[in-house]
Amino acid sequence: DIVVSAKNLSSNEIYYTQAEKNKFKFNNLRSGKYTLFAYELFDENDKTVYFSGIWNPFRRASRFAILDNPIEIRPRWEVQGLELAIEPGVN
Protein backbone atom coordinates (compact mmCIF):
# COMPACT_ATOMS: atom_id res chain seq x y z
CA ASP A 1 0.00 0.00 0.00
CA ILE A 2 1.18 3.49 -0.88
CA VAL A 3 0.33 6.73 0.97
CA VAL A 4 0.59 10.09 -0.81
CA SER A 5 0.87 13.30 1.20
CA ALA A 6 0.38 16.83 -0.11
CA LYS A 7 1.90 19.66 1.92
CA ASN A 8 0.69 23.22 1.38
CA LEU A 9 3.80 25.40 1.22
CA SER A 10 2.20 28.53 2.69
CA SER A 11 0.13 27.03 5.54
CA ASN A 12 2.15 23.82 6.15
CA GLU A 13 -1.11 21.84 6.21
CA ILE A 14 -0.62 18.24 5.16
CA TYR A 15 -3.27 16.10 3.48
CA TYR A 16 -3.10 12.33 3.04
CA THR A 17 -4.63 9.83 0.66
CA GLN A 18 -3.99 6.20 -0.14
CA ALA A 19 -3.24 5.09 -3.70
CA GLU A 20 -5.56 2.51 -5.23
CA LYS A 21 -4.49 0.59 -8.35
CA ASN A 22 -1.47 2.90 -8.68
CA LYS A 23 -3.65 6.02 -8.81
CA PHE A 24 -4.30 8.63 -6.15
CA LYS A 25 -6.77 11.46 -5.72
CA PHE A 26 -7.10 14.32 -3.24
CA ASN A 27 -10.51 15.88 -2.78
CA ASN A 28 -11.00 19.50 -1.73
CA LEU A 29 -7.40 20.69 -1.47
CA ARG A 30 -7.21 24.42 -0.79
CA SER A 31 -5.68 26.61 -3.49
CA GLY A 32 -1.93 26.97 -3.27
CA LYS A 33 1.39 25.35 -4.02
CA TYR A 34 2.04 21.83 -2.76
CA THR A 35 4.85 19.33 -2.51
CA LEU A 36 4.01 15.65 -2.92
CA PHE A 37 5.62 12.77 -1.04
CA ALA A 38 4.66 9.10 -1.46
CA TYR A 39 5.76 6.19 0.70
CA GLU A 40 5.03 2.57 1.51
CA LEU A 41 2.57 2.12 4.34
CA PHE A 42 3.93 0.07 7.24
CA ASP A 43 1.38 0.95 9.95
CA GLU A 44 -2.26 0.52 8.91
CA ASN A 45 -3.35 2.35 12.06
CA ASP A 46 -1.51 5.57 11.25
CA LYS A 47 -1.13 6.55 7.61
CA THR A 48 0.57 9.83 8.56
CA VAL A 49 3.83 8.20 9.68
CA TYR A 50 6.72 7.40 7.35
CA PHE A 51 8.59 4.33 8.65
CA SER A 52 12.33 5.12 8.80
CA GLY A 53 13.44 1.57 9.62
CA ILE A 54 15.17 -0.02 12.61
CA TRP A 55 18.58 -1.68 13.01
CA ASN A 56 17.89 -4.44 15.51
CA PRO A 57 16.06 -6.52 14.52
CA PHE A 58 16.63 -5.10 11.06
CA ARG A 59 13.59 -3.73 9.20
CA ARG A 60 14.25 -1.60 6.17
CA ALA A 61 12.74 1.86 5.81
CA SER A 62 9.71 2.48 3.62
CA ARG A 63 10.55 3.14 0.01
CA PHE A 64 9.47 6.59 -1.08
CA ALA A 65 9.23 9.12 -3.91
CA ILE A 66 9.15 12.92 -3.91
CA LEU A 67 7.80 15.07 -6.73
CA ASP A 68 10.71 17.25 -7.93
CA ASN A 69 8.81 20.54 -8.23
CA PRO A 70 5.87 22.00 -6.31
CA ILE A 71 2.50 21.90 -8.07
CA GLU A 72 -0.12 24.63 -8.06
CA ILE A 73 -3.70 23.75 -7.11
CA ARG A 74 -6.64 25.97 -7.99
CA PRO A 75 -10.39 25.56 -7.40
CA ARG A 76 -12.09 23.10 -9.73
CA TRP A 77 -8.82 22.20 -11.46
CA GLU A 78 -8.02 18.60 -12.17
CA VAL A 79 -4.30 17.89 -12.25
CA GLN A 80 -3.32 14.84 -14.27
CA GLY A 81 -0.11 13.25 -15.42
CA LEU A 82 1.83 13.40 -12.15
CA GLU A 83 4.05 10.39 -11.59
CA LEU A 84 5.66 9.36 -8.33
CA ALA A 85 7.77 6.27 -9.00
CA ILE A 86 8.67 4.18 -5.98
CA GLU A 87 11.41 1.84 -7.11
CA PRO A 88 11.27 -1.79 -6.00
CA GLY A 89 13.94 -2.59 -3.47
CA VAL A 90 15.38 -5.44 -1.46
CA ASN A 91 13.22 -6.67 1.42
Side-chain angles (χ1 to χ4, degrees), residues 26 28-29 31-32 71-80:
F26 287 96
N28 302 319
L29 285 181
S31 295
I71 59 168
E72 187 169 351
I73 302 296
R74 293 191 181 176
R76 297 174 294 284
W77 270 22
E78 189 169 310
V79 179
Q80 295 182 358

Side-chain angles (χ1 to χ4, degrees), residues 61-90:
S62 297
R63 291 184 290 255
F64 65 92
I66 301 171
L67 192 64
D68 289 336
N69 298 310
I71 59 168
E72 187 169 351
I73 302 296
R74 293 191 181 176
R76 297 174 294 284
W77 270 22
E78 189 169 310
V79 179
Q80 295 182 358
L82 297 176
E83 291 188 23
L84 292 164
I86 296 179
E87 300 297 325
V90 177

Side-chain angles (χ1 to χ4, degrees), residues 9-27:
L9 295 178
S10 61
S11 69
N12 288 323
E13 291 177 286
I14 302 175
Y15 303 87
Y16 298 90
T17 191
Q18 196 162 341
E20 294 181 18
K21 298 181 183 177
N22 293 323
K23 296 186 183 273
F24 63 92
K25 181 177 182 178
F26 287 96
N27 291 314

Side-chain angles (χ1 to χ4, degrees), residues 38-71:
Y39 53 92
E40 291 178 301
L41 178 63
F42 271 74
D43 184 357
E44 286 289 331
N45 297 318
D46 189 356
K47 293 176 174 60
T48 66
V49 176
Y50 167 78
F51 181 69
S52 59
I54 56 176
W55 281 108
N56 195 7
F58 181 77
R59 287 187 61 202
R60 67 166 178 79
S62 297
R63 291 184 290 255
F64 65 92
I66 301 171
L67 192 64
D68 289 336
N69 298 310
I71 59 168

